[in-house]
Amino acid sequence: MAMTGLDIYKLTPKTNCKECGFPTCMAFSMKVAAGGAEIQKCSHMSEEALAKLSESTAPLMKTVVFGKGETEYKLGGETVLFRHEKTFVNKNRFAVLFTDKMSPEEVDAKIAGMKEVCYVRIGEEMKVEIAALKYSGDKDAFLALIKKVKESGLKVAFMLICEDVEVLKEALELVKEEVPIVHGANKNNYSEMVQLVRDKKLPLGLRADNLEELYALTENVQKMDYKELFLDPGCKSIKEAYVNTLQIRRTALKEQDRTFGYPSILFVNEMANGDKYMEVALSSVFTIKYGSVIVLSDMDYARALPLFGLRQNIFTDPQKPMRVEPKIYSINNANENSPVLVTVDFALSYFVVSGEIERSKIPAWLVIPDAGGYSVLTAWAAGKFSGSVISKFIKESGIENKTKCRKLIIPGKVAVLKGDIEDSLPGWEVVVGPDEAMHIPKFLREM
Amino acid sequence: MAFKTSVQKYTGSINKLEFGSGENSKALGGENVLPFYTFDGNIGGKPLIGLEILDVYPEKWLDELQQIYGDAANNAVQWARFVEEKFSPDFICLRLEGADPNGLNKSPEEAAALAKEVAQAIKVPLVVAGTQNHDKDTKLFEKVAEVLEGCNVILLSAVEDNYKKIGAAGVLAYRHKVAAESSVDINLAKQLNILLNQLGVKNEDIVMNVGCAAVGYGFEYVASTMDRIRLAALGQNDKSLQMPIITPVSFDTWSVKESVASVEDAPEWGSQVERGIAMEVSTAASVIAAGANAVILRHPGSAETVRKLADALINN
Ligand code: B12
Ligand code: SF4
């Protein structure tokens, strides 16, 4: 439970010495409780009081870090149940599952798939971030698998899935420097598991047969003062996985119970049981509702395109839509004969359109007026991407000095603007472009 | 301490809306909790899954889709029967694309006559979608409502521009249901419901189409709008937002690059139909997790996956 100002006041020396910058210990305590001052400002607190405080002022959900260097990721740390309340902070990460039972060909194929699906969308790199390596009985094969994936050249973080402490010990020798997630602490092995991961602070995944047992297990692990944790809501049934995931997040944030204040691991691969579209469906549900690590059986573009796009959407900050600077952009070294295309300052629209112009390899100018950061139709409907906005920008931006070409290509979705723009821009020919940006290369080549 | 299930009780609930006629009618909504939050209360009816067909041959659809339907797609009546028998959707959405003024510009009479034949040929309830041209849709729905009297269809959609005529003819005169369409904004959704209500349309006869986007294309606004609408309906007992939601997912997902680009356009992306299905499945799964009570889909494979998902979220 969060501490009140009064709770905090009880821990101060109550001397009102003012060193903290506040007139009284009480005033200071109230401010700390409201999140407006840091407890460290008072140098007269006892160790014990500080510990108690940091415990209760800690975020409700812990941020857990794993991986290393360019593959270091953070999960957890969420503060709200709905993204319109504030924002979801640490986007879920996708893993692909490998086991020691897989044939070398199968392993190679998965590695190749993971390498192939790696692209940039609106400035963000899209790829599988985690290799999930599961032990299913053959130790030598498991160790060989870890080596193989490690040496494959894949840039990924690791997750070792294994409940056998002895096997894990050897496995960790191979990858502990990479700070893998270690998954498989249960009610029987948890104390040895904690011993195993403690000195390197490796995140430990906890699993149990049901939520009650998972809760008890987490309490036990916390009693050992270990808090780098992931919780596994289970995957025996889809309904159970969904319900447990919701309960874990709600218990942490709404009931303010830190026992469940950790990120989750969802084995969507097992729930979907080989059905690729079901993996897509479940991954989507858990991207919206509180999944942290989402494990798939494989990655390909059919899965990646929707899932990474959805994730990018859900984890944008609702308070600041993604915008680009309104200005003239030169694409493919535009020159004095290049045509002019116009779009809006919504980052997604800019990204899609500029990408397609690049793909056409034709030098062109892309001009972007201030359209409020909205998509083409939204901006148009809001009156921010009108004929006058566009023609004013053409006149004032200086584009007329950069190119002699007087062709202005407008988005097909706002074809209605053609007449308006032509009326106020004598000398320019307004050409209606395609509706969808993907047809821009063909359109430019044939123009 | 022992774990205790966290339960959230709400004062409001979502209206139950029935469409179709007789024993073949289907119900939407009825829940008093967030989607599939079985531990909080009553989750209402299963989300309904409808398949989209057109009143004209689907020239622009993928080859794979055209092959699935073969000759049947030449005639909406046969197409509807084929879909019903083969894929047993919860409902069929007949989209009157042929009436689009920028296309074949069929008359309302012609389009409505076909809609009637389709309705008579199938047992499952019908959703009739317009052209998205507001003027044309007004005339279209007035006629459709009249000739389909007794079929209790959903007219998709009425917007702020044309709700008066569609509401009056569609619901008040001929007793159908109307989908109130707004563009991803809780206040706009609420306002249109209130306007319809003032016209005399009962809340129970309204279903909302609160806007959609394919995943990756501004979908965060769709998800948050649905979250906010549901929280207001349940938590604040806001009667003007307690209508069930229908989302025409396929109308958006099949026109984004991920679904449209052929293998020649994007060789590294692989099978086009797989991408199309995956975009549709992902968007549909996301909207039903955000609160949609019905989705309209195009590929029968997507429908099968989304149905399995919904079943699995409800039953162990
Ligand atoms: C998300 C969204 C919003 C978000 C804004 C997000 C944003 N930053 O833009 C919010 C919720 C704020 C919003 C608000 C509104 N919206 Co809005 N919104 C949408 C939605 C769902 C998705 C838009 C999107 O992100 N598209 C993706 C981008 C990439 O598309 P794009 O910019 O058009 O770019 C594509 C093409 O145009 C092309 N392209 C782009 N540039 C160029 C340039 C050239 C030269 C070429 C050739 C091609 C090209 O390439 C891109 C990919 O192919 C759409 C519905 C839909 N499914 O599309 C409605 C939609 C655009 N909104 C609509 C409306 C009416 C509004 C509001 C006016 C509602 C209101 N009355 O308040 C407001 C306006 C804002 C305000 N109040 O000031 C309507 C517009 C109707 C119309 N036809 O006029 C739509 C179509 C919904 C609908 N069906 O009613 N909206
Ligand atoms: S520094 Fe500490 S003891 Fe001094 S007034 Fe502030 S809270 Fe009280």
Side-chain angles (χ1 to χ4, degrees), chain A residues 321-322 341-344 346 348-350 352-353 366 372-382 384 409-413 432-438 440 443, chain B residues 132 160 181-185 188 211-214 216-219 221-222 225 252 255 257:
Chain A
M322 297 194 284
L341 294 93
V342 61
T343 188
V344 287
F346 179 38
L348 177 60
S349 311
Y350 163 77
V352 175
V353 173
L366 180 60
Y374 289 135
S375 79
V376 169
L377 278 180
T378 309
W380 175 75
K384 291 182 189 291
I409 302 155
I410 61 171
K413 288 184 184 170
V432 175
D435 276 6
E436 299 297 331
M438 69 162 293
I440 289 178
F443 177 85
Chain B
Q132 295 178 338
E160 208 181 326
E181 176 179 341
S182 50
S183 16
V184 277
D185 181 313
L188 294 178
C212 186
Y217 290 86
F219 186 81
Y221 293 95
V222 176
T225 299
D252 281 297
S255 58
K257 181 173 181 181

Side-chain angles (χ1 to χ4, degrees), chain B:
Chain B
M1 238 172 28
F3 172 73
K4 207 170 132 262
T5 301
S6 167
V7 177
Q8 171 81 57
K9 289 288 170 212
Y10 297 106
T11 47
S13 64
I14 306 305
N15 303 334
K16 196 163 162 182
L17 174 144
E18 272 192 36
F19 72 121
S21 55
E23 58 188 82
N24 296 313
S25 66
K26 290 267 161 56
L28 280 178
E31 71 270 29
N32 61 10
V33 297
L34 293 174
F36 312 106
Y37 279 46
T38 39
F39 43 85
D40 280 342
N42 172 12
I43 60 166
K46 255 194 222 176
L48 300 187
I49 292 150
L51 278 171
E52 175 187 358
I53 66 169
L54 306 180
D55 62 338
V56 290
Y57 189 80
E59 302 284 355
K60 292 194 209 123
W61 290 15
L62 278 191
D63 287 350
E64 282 84 351
L65 277 161
Q66 294 179 355
Q67 277 156 22
I68 290 176
Y69 297 124
D71 276 347
N74 283 311
N75 174 314
V77 177
Q78 275 164 16
W79 192 355
R81 278 207 194 102
F82 182 91
V83 166
E84 176 170 79
E85 272 161 34
K86 202 135 186 232
F87 306 114
S88 23
D90 296 315
F91 63 91
I92 287 178
C93 171
L94 170 66
R95 202 173 172 186
L96 300 175
E97 202 173 277
D100 191 335
N102 296 318
L104 292 180
N105 200 14
K106 284 197 215 165
S107 69
E109 287 71 21
E110 190 186 347
L114 183 66
K116 183 174 181 184
E117 278 186 69
V118 169
Q120 286 170 340
I122 55 173
K123 293 202 186 80
V124 289
L126 193 63
V127 169
V128 183
T131 63
Q132 295 178 338
N133 173 307
H134 300 171
D135 289 338
K136 184 65 181 258
D137 283 356
T138 315
K139 299 181 197 110
L140 194 59
F141 285 133
E142 282 181 317
K143 201 70 209 167
V144 167
E146 183 191 326
V147 304
L148 285 182
E149 184 169 18
C151 297
N152 189 21
V153 304
I154 292 177
L155 303 170
L156 186 89
S157 315
V159 296
E160 208 181 326
D161 282 356
N162 60 17
Y163 77 92
K164 276 191 184 149
K165 287 194 170 152
I166 298 178
V171 187
L172 302 179
Y174 299 109
R175 324 271 342 126
H176 298 288
K177 304 293 185 280
V178 65
E181 176 179 341
S182 50
S183 16
V184 277
D185 181 313
I186 181 172
N187 296 315
L188 294 178
K190 185 177 161 95
Q191 182 187 322
L192 185 55
N193 292 339
I194 292 175
L195 289 172
L196 275 163
N197 206 237
Q198 287 168 352
L199 189 72
V201 175
K202 287 204 294 290
N203 285 343
E204 288 68 30
D205 291 334
I206 305 172
V207 45
M208 294 186 278
N209 168 8
V210 300
C212 186
V215 289
Y217 290 86
F219 186 81
E220 68 272 35
Y221 293 95
V222 176
S224 287
T225 299
M226 288 191 183
D227 279 347
R228 293 184 60 199
I229 288 179
R230 279 301 172 247
L231 290 171
L234 301 173
Q236 292 152 34
N237 198 10
D238 186 337
K239 301 265 181 250
S240 53
L241 287 170
Q242 288 175 341
M243 297 75 182
I245 296 175
I246 184 169
T247 305
V249 168
S250 57
F251 297 10
D252 281 297
T253 65
W254 289 93
S255 58
V256 293
K257 181 173 181 181
E258 287 82 345
S259 313
V260 175
S262 65
V263 176
E264 294 80 65
D265 289 328
E268 70 286 2
W269 281 5
S271 162
Q272 185 183 354
V273 66
E274 286 195 12
R275 283 182 264 126
I277 296 175
M279 286 300 286
E280 182 163 49
V281 163
S282 176
T283 307
S286 300
V287 295
I288 66 169
N293 301 84
V295 289
I296 297 167
L297 305 176
R298 187 171 293 175
H299 199 291
S302 313
E304 193 190 315
T305 304
V306 178
R307 156 135 354 107
K308 263 203 242 164
L309 172 75
D311 286 345
L313 285 167
I314 295 172
N315 305 308
N316 258 321

Side-chain angles (χ1 to χ4, degrees), chain A residues 189-428:
Chain A
N189 69 6
Y190 73 88
S191 76
E192 289 161 284
M193 287 292 241
V194 172
Q195 302 307 338
L196 202 58
V197 296
R198 193 191 288 277
D199 65 325
K200 290 271 177 207
K201 268 188 94 174
L202 308 180
L204 183 62
L206 310 185
R207 62 157 48 131
D209 283 341
N210 54 50
L211 268 194
E212 291 69 28
E213 288 188 16
L214 185 63
Y215 190 87
L217 174 62
T218 315
E219 281 189 318
N220 286 337
V221 172
Q222 285 184 333
K223 273 186 210 138
M224 295 178 71
D225 197 27
Y226 201 70
K227 297 195 171 156
E228 304 301 320
L229 305 178
F230 277 90
L231 305 180
D232 183 344
C235 55
K236 276 177 296 199
S237 96
I238 289 172
K239 179 178 175 181
E240 188 185 307
Y242 182 68
V243 165
N244 291 357
T245 305
L246 296 173
Q247 280 292 326
I248 288 172
R249 181 66 59 94
R250 201 198 256 176
T251 300
L253 298 186
K254 179 165 165 277
E255 311 300 340
Q256 310 206 331
D257 180 348
R258 288 179 183 77
T259 311
F260 269 169
Y262 299 97
S264 61
I265 303 178
L266 286 145
F267 288 92
V268 156
N269 63 317
E270 288 191 32
M271 296 177 223
N273 203 3
D275 178 345
K276 166 165 154 175
Y277 299 123
M278 194 55 146
E279 280 194 10
V280 171
L282 288 165
S283 302
S284 305
V285 169
F286 287 118
T287 294
I288 292 199
K289 286 279 158 83
Y290 319 142
S292 308
V293 173
I294 296 183
V295 186
L296 301 171
S297 64
D298 205 348
M299 185 53 92
D300 56 8
Y301 274 98
R303 279 175 261 227
L305 295 170
L307 295 182
F308 290 135
L310 173 63
R311 175 178 82 177
Q312 188 171 45
N313 279 173
I314 295 298
F315 286 84
T316 45
D317 184 344
Q319 264 94 44
K320 36 175 179 9
M322 297 194 284
R323 290 181 75 165
V324 293
E325 193 190 336
K327 65 171 191 185
I328 302 170
Y329 292 82
S330 158
I331 300 184
N332 302 329
N333 296 315
N335 58 47
E336 54 172 25
N337 297 314
S338 306
V340 181
L341 294 93
V342 61
T343 188
V344 287
D345 55 346
F346 179 38
L348 177 60
S349 311
Y350 163 77
F351 165 80
V352 175
V353 173
S354 61
E356 294 298 341
I357 303 176
E358 275 164 28
R359 201 161 67 87
S360 77
K361 305 217 164 56
I362 292 173
W365 299 100
L366 180 60
V367 299
I368 303 190
D370 182 344
Y374 289 135
S375 79
V376 169
L377 278 180
T378 309
W380 175 75
K384 291 182 189 291
F385 193 58
S386 61
S388 66
V389 168
I390 295 172
S391 39
K392 188 157 169 265
F393 191 80
I394 295 291
K395 281 186 209 138
E396 292 172 4
S397 62
I399 184 68
E400 292 181 314
N401 303 325
K402 290 189 189 278
T403 179
K404 288 187 266 193
C405 177
R406 287 292 177 267
K407 274 194 178 47
L408 175 63
I409 302 155
I410 61 171
K413 288 184 184 170
V414 287
V416 290
L417 294 179
K418 180 175 154 73
D420 257 12
I421 304 175
E422 273 176 344
D423 288 347
S424 44
L425 277 184
W428 281 84

